[in-house]
């Protein structure tokens, strides 16, 4: 578990930034949480993940209605990259059938808020 | 009942995009593992990819050092699988597209190097798309890779 947490720090830019902003997340990485996360925190972390993508203009506003493809201009491979980055950020696995339904930032937030395994 | 062409799909991808992902995150990172396991079939494709990853003394996957030709091979596997499945997806009806899962399908080459694509029945035993036949063609030029899939299947002929 410790090495998994370490590897997440090594490779997830968003996690690294979030850890600097909030030491709590560093501690949470090795303690399984069974409560769902507050929506405002989830929202901020997901928006940070999306903004960390080179193709996303970091100054453009990102809201819950932002669509990965039609608003951000991402293609299917970019979208998979975003979903995997969200998996890394919250230490969860998004099933393929659920991943297909996540097309907006708001849908990603909803999915994480409802997921008791999200850290 | 008649056998007909039911769909056609293609996809073009720049292999460089996969190189950027593997280099940016590290070839043995958890990010790359998650991404590749979302794209590649666990039984038929992922083992080939994993066999190229740098290994430690005891055989465990470790470190991020990889020579450029091995890295290129990793990227080719990913790009070939990705584009083939995107092309197959585009050849499907909207109803079947909803149930399409990348990792349930795998690309393989026969003894002549001819590419094929088919469903992994061990993970999708009841998928009714297995009735259809899919023909795959792939072409490269430098870092550009293009895949085309033709879908052939049975259609009911109307009563005359």
């Amino acid at each position: 578990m410790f090495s998994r947490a370490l590897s997440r720090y090594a490779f997830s830019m968003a996690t690294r930034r979030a850890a600097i902003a909030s030491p709590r997340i560093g501690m949470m990485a090795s303690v399984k949480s069974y409560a769902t996360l507050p929506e405002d925190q989830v929202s901020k972390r997901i928006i940070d993940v999306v903004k960390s993508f080179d193709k996303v203009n970091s100054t453009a506003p990102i809201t819950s209605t932002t669509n990965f493809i039609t608003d951000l201009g991402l293609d299917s491979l970019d979208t998979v990259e975003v979903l995997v980055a969200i998996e890394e950020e919250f230490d969860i696995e998004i099933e393929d059938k659920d991943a297909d339904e996540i097309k907006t930032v708001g849908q990603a937030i909803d999915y994480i808020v409802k997921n008791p395994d999200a850290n | 009942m008649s056998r007909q062409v039911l769909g056609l799909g293609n996809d073009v991808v720049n292999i460089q995009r996969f190189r950027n992902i593997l280099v940016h995150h590290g070839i043995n990172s958890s990010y790359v593992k998650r991404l590749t396991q979302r794209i590649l079939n666990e039984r038929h494709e992922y083992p080939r990819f994993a066999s190229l990853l740098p290994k430690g003394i005891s055989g465990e996957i470790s470190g991020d050092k990889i020579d450029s030709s091995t890295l290129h091979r990793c990227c080719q596997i990913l790009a070939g699988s990705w584009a083939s499945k995107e092309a197959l997806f585009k050849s499907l009806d909207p109803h079947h597209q909803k149930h399409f899962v990348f990792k349930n399908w795998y690309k393989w080459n026969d003894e002549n190097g001819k590419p094929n694509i088919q469903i992994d029945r061990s993970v999708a035993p009841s998928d009714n798309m297995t009735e259809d036949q899919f023909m795959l063609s792939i072409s490269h030029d430098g870092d550009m890779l293009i895949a085309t899939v033709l879908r052939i299947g049975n259609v009911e002929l109307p009563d005359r």
Side-chain angles (χ1 to χ4, degrees):
Chain A
M1 194 63 206
F2 183 60
S3 64
R4 270 185 69 205
L6 268 185
S7 69
R8 286 222 316 284
Y9 279 122
F11 300 115
S12 167
M13 293 298 288
T15 304
R16 198 182 307 164
R17 280 209 317 279
I20 293 164
S22 160
R24 184 191 71 84
I25 293 164
M27 290 160 68
M28 294 289 282
S30 58
V31 181
K32 200 74 177 168
S33 162
Y34 294 99
T36 55
L37 298 169
E39 187 169 338
D40 56 336
Q41 285 182 26
V42 171
S43 173
K44 184 184 179 309
R45 285 166 67 190
I46 286 182
I47 289 170
D48 283 349
V49 166
V50 173
K51 281 188 172 172
S52 72
F53 272 74
D54 292 343
K55 281 192 185 177
V56 175
N57 179 352
S58 59
T59 57
I62 293 178
T63 68
S64 63
T65 59
T66 301
N67 183 295
F68 296 125
I69 292 173
T70 55
D71 294 320
L72 298 179
L74 302 183
D75 65 16
S76 50
L77 180 55
D78 295 319
T79 309
V80 172
E81 285 187 64
V82 169
L83 288 175
V84 172
I86 291 171
E87 284 186 330
E88 287 271 290
E89 173 67 20
F90 294 95
D91 192 20
I92 50 151
E93 197 169 316
I94 304 174
E95 291 289 322
D96 287 293
K97 62 176 166 47
D98 297 325
D100 289 344
E101 301 301 318
I102 300 176
K103 297 181 170 73
T104 66
V105 169
Q107 287 165 344
I109 294 167
D110 276 354
Y111 181 85
I112 297 297
V113 166
K114 287 175 183 159
N115 189 328
D117 292 329
N119 278 291
Chain B
M1 196 74 92
S2 159
R3 204 133 177 91
Q4 288 186 7
V5 171
L6 298 178
L8 175 68
N10 75 357
D11 193 63
V12 60
V13 66
N14 190 333
I15 296 173
Q16 180 73 36
R17 290 187 62 183
F18 287 97
R19 194 175 298 128
N20 290 345
I21 292 170
L22 299 188
V23 170
H24 177 76
H25 292 278
I27 191 140
N28 277 324
S29 63
S30 60
Y31 183 95
V32 165
K33 189 169 188 190
R34 284 176 189 268
L35 186 90
T36 50
Q37 288 182 336
R38 200 171 269 282
I39 297 170
L40 302 177
N41 177 261
E42 187 181 0
R43 258 164 46 111
H44 299 276
E45 293 180 322
Y46 187 74
R48 202 155 54 93
F49 177 84
S51 73
L52 297 170
L53 299 178
K55 304 286 192 299
I57 296 166
S58 55
E60 81 282 6
I61 294 170
S62 71
D64 282 329
K65 294 262 179 279
I66 186 166
D67 64 81
S68 60
S69 67
T70 310
L71 177 64
H72 187 66
R73 189 72 205 108
C74 288
C75 296
Q76 278 183 325
I77 291 172
L78 278 172
S81 174
W82 172 268
S84 301
K85 293 169 189 182
E86 279 279 310
L88 192 146
F89 175 83
K90 291 172 190 173
S91 80
L92 300 174
D93 300 326
H95 164 72
H96 285 131
Q97 286 183 339
K98 281 201 181 110
H99 303 285
F100 183 78
V101 176
F102 263 62
K103 65 186 180 203
N104 286 359
W105 293 77
Y106 65 99
K107 169 189 166 290
W108 58 279
N109 293 348
D110 69 15
E111 63 273 24
N112 299 314
K114 183 185 177 309
N116 294 273
I117 188 162
Q118 68 185 70
I119 200 160
D120 179 357
R121 286 172 196 269
S122 71
V123 289
S126 61
D127 201 314
N128 60 4
M129 275 187 290
T130 53
E131 296 290 315
D132 292 344
Q133 180 192 357
F134 296 91
M135 302 184 77
L136 170 65
S137 176
I138 290 181
S139 197
H140 303 256
D141 185 1
D143 273 346
M144 299 310 289
L145 182 150
I146 185 164
T148 305
V149 167
L150 192 67
R151 180 164 68 97
I152 298 161
N154 294 326
V155 287
E156 295 284 349
L157 290 175
D159 293 332
R160 287 173 193 265

